[in-house]
Every structure is written in structure tokens, then in C-alpha cells.
């Protein structure tokens, strides 16, 4: 399973990414909405895990964009 993790808090992001990898999941982590959109447009993900407050936008807005453009489940944290 390929996961896109969008989390700007370094410690939380690193811990979550390590946990997902330990669960045998491929995990790409980014810290900004713009980077998330770039990754999603270039790769295929099974699920996105989004922080609600990001430095260049909100996880809620990113979720709406994903749902409008891609058939991917989203988890907001």
C-alpha cells in the first residue's frame, strides 16, 4: 500500500512515517499543500493522511481538491 503523509510537524511526521513503514507500507511524506498536489499528480497513492493545519493552506481544502480530482481515500488528522 502506498501512503501520502502530509504533516508539517517534524516529530509527528517522522514518527508516523516510521510506523507506516514498519507496517510494510510505502510512505512518502511532504509538509506543504503544494508539495502534496505535485506528488499526487505524479504518483498513484492508495490513501492520503492529511494534517488539518499546513503552512500554505489547510488539509480540508486539500481534501476537497483530492476528492474532486482523484478517486483516493483521505484521512484527516
Amino acid at each position: 500500500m502506498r501512503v501520502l503523509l502530509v504533516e508539517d510537524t517534524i516529530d509527528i511526521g517522522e514518527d508516523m512515517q516510521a510506523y507506516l513503514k514498519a507496517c510494510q507500507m510505502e510512505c512518502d511524506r511532504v509538509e506543504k499543500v503544494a508539495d502534496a498536489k505535485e506528488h499526487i499528480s505524479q504518483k498513484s497513492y492508495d490513501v492520503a493522511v492529511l494534517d488539518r493545519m499546513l503552512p500554505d493552506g489547510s488539509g480540508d481544502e486539500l481534501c476537497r481538491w483530492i476528492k474532486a480530482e482523484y478517486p483516493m481515500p483521505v484521512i484527516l488528522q
Side-chain angles (χ1 to χ4, degrees):
M1 175 175 278
R2 181 180 285 274
V3 178
L4 178 63
L5 174 61
V6 186
E7 173 59 65
D8 65 321
T9 305
I10 304 275
D11 295 343
I12 294 171
E14 288 176 351
D15 289 347
M16 289 179 71
Q17 186 175 28
Y19 178 78
L20 291 167
K21 287 183 176 184
C23 292
Q24 308 302 314
M25 295 182 196
E26 293 181 48
C27 180
D28 294 333
R29 184 172 73 87
V30 297
E31 298 178 4
K32 296 180 179 178
V33 170
D35 295 335
K37 288 181 177 182
E38 182 177 332
H39 272 71
I40 291 168
S41 66
Q42 294 177 356
K43 295 182 182 179
S44 176
Y45 291 97
D46 297 302
V47 64
V49 180
L50 312 178
D51 186 358
R52 286 187 180 268
M53 296 175 58
L54 297 164
D56 62 339
S58 77
D60 295 320
E61 293 168 359
L62 179 56
C63 179
R64 284 190 288 277
W65 178 83
I66 292 170
K67 290 299 185 182
E69 301 291 325
Y70 299 92
M72 177 188 347
V74 174
I75 299 170
L76 287 166
Q77 59 163 344

